[in-house]
Amino acid sequence: MEEEEVEGATTSETPPRASPKASPQLNRWSRARALLSGHRLDWSALRNKTTSSSPPSPASLSSSSMLDEKSPSISSEEHDRENDEEEPRTPRPGDGKAIYMVSDGTGSTAENSVNAALGQFEHCLVDRGCPVSTHLFSGVNNMDRLIEIIKQAAKEGAILLYTLADPSMADTAKQACKVWGVPSTDILRPTIEAIANHIGVAPSGIPRGAPGRKPLNEDYFKRIEAIDFTIKQDDGALPQNLNRAHIVLVGVSRTGKTPLSIYLAQKGYMVANVPIVMGVELPKALFDINQEKIFGLTINPVVLQTIRKARAKTLGFQGEMKSNYSNMEHVRAELNYANKIFAQNPVWPVIEVTGKAIEETAAVVVRIHHDRKKKCFIPRISKRY
Amino acid sequence: MEEEEVEGATTSETPPRASPKASPQLNRWSRARALLSGHRLDWSALRNKTTSSSPPSPASLSSSSMLDEKSPSISSEEHDRENDEEEPRTPRPGDGKAIYMVSDGTGSTAENSVNAALGQFEHCLVDRGCPVSTHLFSGVNNMDRLIEIIKQAAKEGAILLYTLADPSMADTAKQACKVWGVPSTDILRPTIEAIANHIGVAPSGIPRGAPGRKPLNEDYFKRIEAIDFTIKQDDGALPQNLNRAHIVLVGVSRTGKTPLSIYLAQKGYMVANVPIVMGVELPKALFDINQEKIFGLTINPVVLQTIRKARAKTLGFQGEMKSNYSNMEHVRAELNYANKIFAQNPVWPVIEVTGKAIEETAAVVVRIHHDRKKKCFIPRISKRY
């Protein structure tokens, strides 16, 4: 696996570097620790050491003629002047290693990918053993702004992760990062290239937010309708509309029905949710609709009690109401009541939400929903474009 | 740029291939067209030609000993047997080129990235000039399932784009795709490697949905509270709570206040929205809160009329109500009324939502919101981990 990691690193646009365990990396890390502990270091001297790619020589700079042509403001002269004139800011302790995300669109792809990637470092992020700060620069649609950001990244010792649809912007980012010794990776390019090769069509190079796109497609109206519907159907409202829902969620209070409904609505599903409350009968309409639409949610009683206690505090519950809502015996009794209902309706899949993020529960719901519609060999969610 | 594209293609895990304009690619494309036009071709013979990487030789197979060790079910013998026994399915015409997305988590990163990448092919997707179908396989957490999917991808002539946290799963995907000639790209690996190098910590290799993660963090409660708040504050409800909102949206009906509020709530912002209706005074509370929280939304009158006509139909408006709501004169008058209010409140940024996706408007709102809080040199959205 060691080999695989090194290979992975060199295929990205980051200048080839050793695996995290190799010594230059460890040196960087201990230097970073020294920085964080409050020592003020000579940043410009440090940077040349920190990035394992050597600082740009005049020869390498003049060879990047493309860069100079496109953006006269980043010649090597200006670069040097910049360094002389301005004392680079020392990153504040506690800020952690900076990750710059740059996009010519909303930046949601960069943000989403970086968040997913950071999930791989949870083991040291949680206790702030490896503090990190992310900085999103969205709507970066001209070279000057891009260059300005890369200069700032160099000063902060940041990494630059970017999604730039315009190939000349992506190219500038890559080259400017090389010039200033900023490690960089094009997040989306490998995926775009793979699809281009697969379908035999060259990418347009036009950012998604660019004017002239078809603004109001079917998908747009579908999503808006789904959100409208879902808000109106929240918390058991209007049971007569249950038959119009694509998905119906059933569970006791604070199993996350509402946020899950809202998340699914954003994806275009019309969702209704119906609370299970001990002593209150479920609406008759629930049993008249297609039972394959209905999903039960369940949760660990201890976790539910914690959530309900927090909720009772927010709502200012007092006395009997508070104890009924978050009292352990009541919580267990209500979950048992719900489980009895689920047992009586074996068609409803019951999803255990304990410890799951909303996205994770949603992924399960959507997978089952599509499976039931398509009856595929391997569970999958298919779309045509 | 031509060079850059070829380079980009080779850095991904897709077997090195020529740019989309080169002849092997065009050959693939015309073969695909032949397929779509209904000709039934010998698929197994075709596949060897279609992928420009040559079919695996016995030598190359035995060298991939790692693969055999980990998953004895995909030895070359089984591969051959599989091909002999089973007549591969011909993709149905109209399905388009298949894109398989495989994840050991929710698949949201893969989905998000592929959607963003497909934005680069809108020029031919809209008119179905290059039909594509996507297939999401989420929660793929064992080798057998993974292998099954890759075999199916080979049969459908699909590309495989994956995010697999476990390095041995990612490695298996890569090798199995090579064996069966399925072009593949690891979507997240370059980003993970870049961050690992930058912070000097090795990734955990544990999928995000894995048990044992801290389930209920601050962020979780923040998002749930934001969604609760935002739903309750929808459409001008409870003006006395406006001061608790992080962001307040103001605009005439159907400028997308509700879906935008919901989208922002999911990101953890407590959002209230207040409708502008001609002849109805705005709540006094709106002018008592911090005016920097307030954002105006405006839209092109022709587009607004189209949206309102669709809306009036859904709601079953009739007679005077319908004409007032979607009548062009009324629409213009109401927008003028809104613009007068915006002019009187110059602190409110006014965002033109015409032709913008919700995500795009949200990106602008969030950028301004953070700018005002942080007063940065370059507009950015920063977070600490």
Side-chain angles (χ1 to χ4, degrees):
Chain A
M1 190 48 219
E2 197 69 347
E3 261 190 9
E4 163 64 18
E5 274 182 3
V6 176
E7 200 185 309
T10 50
T11 54
S12 81
E13 290 179 24
T14 317
R17 283 191 283 172
S19 92
K21 281 161 204 153
S23 67
Q25 201 51 51
L26 280 180
N27 286 346
R28 295 191 67 201
W29 184 223
S30 53
R31 270 196 298 272
R33 265 201 302 243
L35 255 183
L36 291 177
S37 67
H39 294 288
R40 197 180 159 82
L41 300 173
D42 178 357
W43 190 245
S44 55
L46 178 74
R47 184 148 31 90
N48 288 347
K49 275 192 236 157
T50 322
T51 57
S52 56
S53 66
S54 53
S57 66
S60 76
L61 277 172
S62 63
S63 77
S64 67
S65 59
M66 217 171 162
L67 190 65
D68 293 335
E69 267 170 43
K70 274 183 195 137
S71 171
S73 66
I74 48 161
S75 65
S76 61
E77 289 75 21
E78 161 137 354
H79 174 215
D80 293 343
R81 201 163 3 99
E82 177 81 28
N83 266 352
D84 293 340
E85 274 175 16
E86 217 176 311
E87 173 67 6
R89 283 190 229 162
T90 308
R92 278 158 296 181
D95 276 4
K97 292 261 181 177
I99 298 172
Y100 273 36
M101 304 177 280
V102 176
S103 167
D104 48 13
T106 63
S108 71
T109 304
E111 213 182 1
N112 188 300
S113 295
V114 168
N115 278 338
L118 286 179
Q120 284 301 299
F121 303 93
E122 258 174 9
H123 55 296
C124 64
L125 285 175
V126 174
D127 58 7
R128 291 187 61 72
C130 60
V132 160
S133 63
T134 61
H135 306 268
L136 173 65
F137 302 83
S138 59
V140 178
N141 51 15
N142 72 71
M143 295 284 183
D144 292 344
R145 166 66 65 90
L146 178 61
I147 296 300
E148 202 184 356
I149 292 166
I150 293 171
K151 280 184 190 171
Q152 183 64 28
K155 281 183 204 159
E156 286 192 22
I159 190 175
L160 194 94
L161 302 170
Y162 57 94
T163 56
L164 294 163
D166 179 346
S168 68
M169 289 277 284
D171 197 51
T172 301
K174 190 177 169 180
Q175 300 218 30
C177 283
K178 243 185 228 165
V179 169
W180 279 293
V182 173
S184 75
T185 299
D186 190 330
I187 290 179
L188 207 53
R189 189 63 42 181
T191 305
I192 293 173
E193 295 297 338
I195 293 175
N197 281 331
H198 184 55
I199 66 175
V201 173
S204 66
I206 301 166
R208 283 228 276 186
R213 282 184 332 147
K214 256 193 146 175
L216 297 171
N217 53 24
E218 212 183 305
D219 184 58
Y220 177 86
F221 284 115
K222 203 178 126 193
R223 283 172 60 186
I224 290 196
E225 195 193 347
I227 290 169
D228 279 347
F229 178 89
T230 302
I231 289 179
K232 285 207 194 77
Q233 294 304 125
D234 188 41
D235 207 28
L238 312 171
Q240 68 274 24
N241 286 343
L242 281 177
N243 63 325
R244 289 181 56 217
H246 301 130
I247 291 166
V248 178
L249 305 174
V250 179
V252 304
S253 173
R254 294 286 115 181
T255 42
K257 296 186 300 298
T258 298
L260 181 58
S261 302
I262 291 297
Y263 183 85
L264 290 166
Q266 293 240 82
K267 293 186 161 259
Y269 302 96
M270 290 163 70
V271 186
N273 72 70
V274 178
I276 295 180
V277 183
M278 223 170 13
V280 178
E281 229 173 303
L282 285 166
K284 207 188 143 287
L286 184 68
F287 301 95
D288 294 338
I289 63 168
N290 178 358
Q291 297 296 293
E292 292 215 332
K293 289 179 184 179
I294 305 173
F295 294 78
L297 301 181
T298 188
I299 190 169
N300 173 288
V302 179
V303 174
L304 180 59
Q305 192 195 22
T306 312
I307 299 175
R308 284 196 173 179
K309 272 186 179 162
R311 176 68 172 175
K313 218 170 153 187
T314 313
L315 294 181
F317 280 1
Q318 282 181 332
E320 201 192 353
M321 194 157 183
K322 184 181 167 189
S323 64
N324 245 354
Y325 188 70
S326 58
N327 173 279
M328 195 42 147
E329 251 171 77
H330 180 79
V331 164
R332 279 192 203 280
E334 197 156 69
L335 283 173
N336 284 342
Y337 176 70
N339 287 336
K340 232 178 261 171
I341 294 173
F342 295 153
Q344 286 161 7
N345 296 277
V347 182
W348 307 355
V350 178
I351 303 170
E352 164 70 65
V353 301
T354 312
K356 279 207 185 82
I358 293 156
E359 294 85 340
E360 286 157 8
T361 310
V364 176
V365 170
V366 170
R367 198 161 54 210
I368 297 174
H369 175 74
H370 279 255
D371 268 13
R372 289 184 154 179
K373 265 177 35 187
K374 305 247 167 139
K375 319 272 179 208
C376 270
F377 172 52
I378 312 174
R380 64 165 89 175
I381 296 156
S382 300
K383 279 180 197 164
R384 284 172 54 194
Y385 293 84
Chain B
M1 190 49 217
E2 197 68 349
E3 262 190 8
E4 162 65 18
E5 273 182 3
V6 176
E7 202 186 307
T10 50
T11 54
S12 82
E13 290 178 26
T14 318
R17 284 191 281 172
S19 90
K21 280 160 204 153
S23 66
Q25 200 52 50
L26 280 180
N27 286 346
R28 295 192 68 202
W29 185 223
S30 53
R31 270 196 298 271
R33 265 200 302 245
L35 256 184
L36 291 177
S37 68
H39 294 288
R40 198 179 159 81
L41 300 173
D42 177 357
W43 191 245
S44 56
L46 179 74
R47 186 145 31 89
N48 288 348
K49 275 193 236 156
T50 323
T51 57
S52 56
S53 67
S54 53
S57 67
S60 76
L61 276 172
S62 63
S63 77
S64 67
S65 57
M66 218 171 164
L67 190 65
D68 293 336
E69 269 171 43
K70 274 181 196 139
S71 172
S73 65
I74 49 163
S75 66
S76 61
E77 290 74 20
E78 162 136 355
H79 173 215
D80 292 343
R81 199 160 7 96
E82 177 81 27
N83 265 351
D84 293 339
E85 274 175 16
E86 216 176 311
E87 175 66 4
R89 283 189 228 163
T90 309
R92 278 157 295 183
D95 275 5
K97 292 259 181 178
I99 298 173
Y100 273 35
M101 304 177 281
V102 176
S103 167
D104 47 13
T106 62
S108 72
T109 304
E111 212 182 2
N112 187 300
S113 295
V114 168
N115 278 337
L118 286 178
Q120 286 299 300
F121 303 94
E122 257 174 10
H123 55 296
C124 65
L125 285 175
V126 174
D127 58 7
R128 291 188 60 73
C130 60
V132 160
S133 64
T134 61
H135 306 268
L136 174 65
F137 302 84
S138 59
V140 178
N141 51 15
N142 72 72
M143 297 282 184
D144 293 344
R145 166 65 66 88
L146 178 61
I147 297 299
E148 201 183 357
I149 292 166
I150 293 170
K151 280 184 190 169
Q152 182 64 29
K155 281 182 203 160
E156 286 192 23
I159 189 176
L160 194 93
L161 302 170
Y162 58 95
T163 56
L164 294 163
D166 179 346
S168 68
M169 289 277 284
D171 196 50
T172 302
K174 190 177 168 180
Q175 299 217 31
C177 282
K178 243 185 228 164
V179 169
W180 280 294
V182 173
S184 75
T185 299
D186 189 330
I187 291 179
L188 208 53
R189 188 63 40 180
T191 305
I192 293 173
E193 295 296 338
I195 293 175
N197 281 331
H198 184 55
I199 66 175
V201 174
S204 67
I206 301 166
R208 282 227 277 186
R213 283 184 332 148
K214 253 192 148 177
L216 297 171
N217 52 24
E218 212 182 305
D219 184 58
Y220 178 85
F221 284 115
K222 203 178 126 192
R223 283 172 61 186
I224 291 195
E225 195 193 347
I227 291 169
D228 279 347
F229 179 89
T230 302
I231 290 179
K232 286 208 193 76
Q233 294 304 125
D234 189 41
D235 207 27
L238 312 172
Q240 68 274 23
N241 286 343
L242 281 177
N243 63 324
R244 288 182 55 217
H246 301 130
I247 291 167
V248 178
L249 305 173
V250 179
V252 305
S253 174
R254 293 288 113 179
T255 42
K257 296 185 299 297
T258 297
L260 181 58
S261 301
I262 291 297
Y263 182 86
L264 290 166
Q266 293 239 83
K267 293 185 161 259
Y269 301 96
M270 290 163 70
V271 185
N273 72 70
V274 178
I276 296 180
V277 183
M278 223 172 11
V280 178
E281 229 173 303
L282 284 167
K284 207 189 144 286
L286 184 68
F287 301 95
D288 295 338
I289 63 167
N290 177 358
Q291 297 296 291
E292 292 215 332
K293 289 180 185 179
I294 305 173
F295 293 78
L297 302 180
T298 189
I299 191 169
N300 174 288
V302 179
V303 174
L304 181 58
Q305 192 195 22
T306 311
I307 298 175
R308 284 195 173 180
K309 272 184 180 163
R311 175 68 172 175
K313 219 171 152 185
T314 312
L315 293 182
F317 281 2
Q318 282 183 331
E320 202 191 350
M321 194 156 182
K322 183 182 167 189
S323 65
N324 245 354
Y325 188 69
S326 59
N327 172 280
M328 196 41 149
E329 251 171 77
H330 180 80
V331 165
R332 277 192 204 281
E334 198 157 68
L335 284 173
N336 284 341
Y337 175 71
N339 287 336
K340 233 179 259 169
I341 294 172
F342 296 153
Q344 286 161 7
N345 296 277
V347 182
W348 306 354
V350 178
I351 303 170
E352 163 69 65
V353 301
T354 312
K356 280 206 185 83
I358 293 156
E359 294 85 340
E360 286 156 8
T361 310
V364 176
V365 170
V366 169
R367 197 159 56 210
I368 297 174
H369 175 74
H370 279 256
D371 268 15
R372 288 184 155 179
K373 265 179 30 191
K374 305 248 169 138
K375 318 275 180 206
C376 269
F377 171 53
I378 312 174
R380 66 165 87 175
I381 296 156
S382 300
K383 279 179 198 164
R384 284 171 55 192
Y385 294 83

